[in-house]
Amino acid sequence: MYNFDWAIFWKYIWPPTALQDPLIRTGLIVTIVVSVIAQVLGVVLGLFVALGKMSKFAPFRWVANAYIWYFRGTPLLVQMSLLFFGLGVTHIYDFPDIVLGTLTIKGAIQAGALALAINEAAYMAEIIRAGIEAIDPGQMEAAKSLGMTYGLAMRRIVLPQAAKVIIPPLGNEFNSMMKTTSLMEVISATELFYGFNQVNARLFKPFELFIAASFYYLAMTTVWSFIQVRIEARLGERKGVERGPSTLQRLFTGASGKGVR
Amino acid sequence: MADQLTAPPVRPDASIIVKAEKVNKNFGALHVLKDIDLEVRKNEVVIIIGPSGSGKSTFLRCINHLEKINSGHISVNGHLIGYLERNGRLVEDSEKNIARQRAEIGMVFQRFNLFPHLTALENIMEAPLRVRKLPVEQVHAEAEQLLTRVGLADKRNQYPNQLSGGQQQRVAIARALAMKPSLMLFDEPTSALDPEMIGEVLEVMKELAHEMTMIVVSHEMGFARAAANRVVFIDGGRIVEEGTPDSFFENPREERTRLFLSQILH
């Protein structure tokens, strides 16, 4: 019978002791920071892809469609490997470490965050497009009739309204993003899963350690789902939108149930 | 009271605000506007009536280039709208220029199209602030005046979904007026309203008719008689008949006009 190592288990599941291990501490920070950065970049890039897809100018539509086709049609793991190893071996771009004072951002982390962002943009593009298309075309017409250009009307009139439609699925995307950062392990970016893997390589206690790893991911996604409910409630208050499912419903019915891409 | 029941006459030497010449418009194979010619002079109020699908709203939307035209010319204040003429051919103008032209033309829509994320006051202030880039104090003061003028000063901080249809349409009129346009277009402004709210909107429009060049697509005969200088009847994409409200309603010349009037007047 397997002899469960309670000492290791408690050491790595209890944050004050676990975070003393630099692998776990760094891993947690990298995972959170990369999730946020990749999500923000994904939204910005996704907005441009969405606008491209809705453009009157056909070449913009082709580029946007090809983008979505490729990044949703191939595994993120492959995209990330291609970006980091592929560009590295050809010396198109080596992802050198960036040094900012005392902080060094490893090339693998840059590449991982970039791959996550580029991939996320393809998904966000469809979410943003659906949000924009949910807005009555009369809004754009009214804005134009007042002398607004397309860009101004988008920024001031259409997007603020579309945000209401976009934010709930955007929250689900971020939940997914926090878990998907674990794929960066294959390019040796020092995120949370990489940290636990390294500890496991030293201690060989996969059962204990990966339960502990689950705990950290679960903590992040659970905290986020509470924040998400608050954001959506505030969004709904002023504009008379119906309330979404409760946090508990959301946690247990898998409103965002999406696996690794 | 009699002088309030008819529109002031338009001076024949008044400057031409809108000039449409041989305007044609197709939606695919459908030919919706056929050689439309129309001149509207300063301070003139023109009502366009016609059966649904006759092209009257489409024509109105061509005047501020919300719809493209396939041939012909439309100019407002002497400037071609939406196009540039190059070597005798029409080329679509730049987005910026079109936007600049639209800023001078107010439009009121059938379904109001107020911005739901902005209050009544913010709806009115948005374009003067962002398009004209006027100082906020001035824009705010003028917006308050406009709200008072349409009788909604107490609703300044309400969102559109907290207003009735008639109130929303009055805010929409104020929003268009805030740009100080030289021409106002009304696209069936009362047809999405409950009957009891039509009057309040028409009152505002009648007031406006004394001092504004207006083209109104509407079936409100009472408004036409009280405020219009001219009624234009469009059917099948063509102008069938036009005349002063009295002659138009009392003595229509064309058989099609008579038939249409008998249908809408019951």
Side-chain angles (χ1 to χ4, degrees):
Chain A
M1 203 187 126
Y2 183 71
N3 189 9
F4 193 87
D5 193 331
W6 286 98
I8 297 240
F9 176 74
W10 284 118
K11 178 173 185 239
Y12 279 96
I13 207 166
W14 177 239
T17 48
L19 294 178
Q20 279 171 11
D21 187 327
L23 282 166
I24 307 303
R25 190 172 61 236
T26 310
L28 189 63
I29 294 168
V30 167
T31 290
I32 292 171
V33 172
V34 166
S35 299
V36 171
I37 288 174
Q39 189 65 50
V40 170
L41 284 178
V43 170
V44 174
L45 190 55
L47 175 62
F48 285 104
V49 177
L51 294 177
K53 202 174 158 135
M54 294 185 298
S55 172
K56 278 188 288 186
F57 186 54
F60 284 180
R61 290 201 304 274
W62 300 336
V63 171
N65 282 326
Y67 185 100
I68 293 169
W69 180 56
Y70 176 78
F71 287 104
R72 299 214 315 182
T74 58
L76 173 54
L77 202 48
V78 173
Q79 297 161 18
M80 198 181 282
S81 303
L82 178 61
L83 184 77
F84 186 61
F85 300 126
L87 294 191
V89 77
T90 54
H91 297 295
I92 294 171
Y93 188 64
D94 288 325
F95 289 99
D97 296 352
I98 295 174
V99 182
L100 299 167
T102 57
L103 186 71
T104 304
I105 305 165
K106 286 265 199 284
I109 293 175
Q110 300 166 39
L114 191 60
L116 286 164
I118 290 171
N119 178 270
E120 180 58 20
Y123 289 85
M124 280 313 303
E126 292 291 41
I127 291 171
I128 292 170
R129 184 175 64 95
I132 291 172
E133 284 177 355
I135 305 307
D136 179 357
Q139 291 290 308
M140 179 56 92
E141 287 194 345
K144 283 185 169 177
S145 80
L146 290 164
M148 294 191 197
T149 56
Y150 175 83
L152 183 62
M154 260 298 160
R155 232 174 31 246
R156 298 287 312 172
I157 306 301
V158 177
L159 285 176
Q161 296 180 55
K164 237 181 355 182
V165 187
I166 292 168
I167 282 174
L170 168 61
N172 297 341
E173 285 295 301
F174 185 63
N175 177 297
S176 183
M177 176 66 81
M178 288 188 288
K179 296 172 289 184
T180 312
T181 51
S182 59
L183 292 184
M184 289 163 54
E185 197 267 344
V186 294
I187 58 170
S188 304
T190 56
E191 46 70 52
L192 190 61
F193 181 54
Y194 175 89
F196 274 100
N197 251 333
Q198 292 297 105
V199 174
N200 182 46
R202 202 169 65 216
L203 303 173
F204 195 65
K205 294 285 176 196
F207 193 44
E208 293 83 347
L209 288 169
F210 291 134
I211 291 175
S214 307
F215 167 80
Y216 284 94
Y217 283 107
L218 200 54
M220 287 190 291
T221 54
T222 304
V223 167
W224 173 246
S225 58
F226 278 97
I227 296 172
Q228 205 184 340
V229 168
R230 292 275 293 275
I231 293 172
E232 287 174 29
R234 185 175 297 181
L235 210 67
E237 263 167 27
R238 201 175 79 167
K239 282 125 187 176
V241 174
E242 275 179 51
R243 287 193 76 124
S246 73
T247 308
L248 286 179
Q249 280 171 327
R250 191 186 294 274
L251 285 173
F252 294 120
T253 58
S256 65
K258 196 164 22 170
V260 162
R261 291 158 182 171
Chain B
M1 291 301 282
D3 59 338
Q4 285 185 358
L5 280 176
T6 48
V10 174
R11 299 208 328 269
D13 61 335
S15 55
I16 293 172
I17 300 289
V18 181
K19 191 177 176 75
E21 294 170 290
K22 296 240 172 298
V23 172
N24 282 274
K25 164 84 186 165
N26 302 295
F27 283 125
L30 204 64
H31 195 177
V32 286
L33 295 180
K34 297 167 185 161
D35 290 334
I36 299 275
D37 286 307
L38 187 74
E39 265 184 23
V40 180
R41 287 176 184 275
K42 190 168 168 60
N43 289 339
E44 192 175 12
V45 177
V46 174
I47 307 282
I48 302 178
I49 66 171
S52 74
S54 61
K56 55 192 192 304
S57 282
T58 303
F59 175 62
L60 197 74
R61 293 161 56 82
C62 289
I63 298 175
N64 67 352
H65 200 61
L66 282 181
E67 300 283 353
K68 294 177 187 184
I69 60 176
N70 294 88
S71 69
H73 294 83
I74 299 177
S75 58
V76 175
N77 295 320
H79 300 289
L80 215 51
I81 289 291
Y83 298 91
L84 295 169
E85 198 151 22
R86 277 204 197 121
N87 309 324
R89 282 185 42 216
L90 291 183
V91 199
E92 194 163 22
D93 206 342
S94 73
E95 197 205 351
K96 231 178 168 168
N97 283 339
I98 294 171
R100 206 169 291 152
Q101 291 178 321
R102 285 191 185 124
E104 310 304 321
I105 306 171
M107 190 166 202
V108 173
F109 298 86
Q110 184 179 356
R111 299 191 56 252
F112 331 132
N113 297 348
L114 286 183
F115 307 133
H117 60 304
L118 303 178
T119 63
L121 197 64
E122 289 167 343
N123 262 279
I124 299 170
M125 292 172 66
E126 184 69 14
L129 279 179
R130 307 284 162 186
V131 177
R132 296 253 195 260
K133 299 190 168 68
L134 296 172
V136 66
E137 300 78 23
Q138 179 192 342
V139 170
H140 185 265
E142 287 176 359
E144 292 275 8
Q145 278 173 17
L146 282 165
L147 268 181
T148 307
R149 186 168 163 189
V150 299
L152 293 171
D154 56 329
K155 303 287 183 193
R156 63 169 73 76
N157 295 324
Q158 307 280 295
Y159 286 89
N161 65 4
Q162 299 168 309
L163 301 174
S164 73
Q167 291 169 337
Q168 288 188 58
Q169 194 62 299
R170 281 144 67 195
V171 174
I173 292 171
R175 177 177 71 176
L177 291 176
M179 292 296 281
K180 302 193 170 72
S182 56
L183 167 70
M184 284 283 284
L185 307 174
F186 292 82
D187 188 6
E188 307 207 30
T190 56
S191 43
L193 294 175
D194 291 334
E196 74 272 20
M197 294 171 183
I198 292 176
E200 61 191 71
V201 172
L202 291 181
E203 272 317 305
V204 170
M205 289 172 62
K206 279 180 205 166
E207 283 293 316
L208 203 57
H210 289 287
E211 53 186 275
M212 181 64 84
T213 314
M214 295 172 36
I215 304 179
V216 183
V217 170
S218 173
H219 288 163
E220 294 295 335
M221 296 306 140
F223 175 74
R225 281 169 180 277
N229 302 102
R230 189 150 47 116
V231 179
V232 174
F233 174 55
I234 293 186
D235 190 16
R238 272 183 214 287
I239 294 184
V240 175
E241 181 168 353
E242 56 182 297
T244 63
D246 284 344
S247 72
F248 182 86
F249 291 118
E250 304 306 332
N251 300 303
R253 295 187 305 275
E254 300 288 331
E255 183 53 38
R256 268 198 294 178
T257 315
R258 277 196 283 274
L259 183 66
F260 177 72
L261 287 176
S262 73
Q263 284 163 347
I264 60 166
L265 299 173
H266 310 296

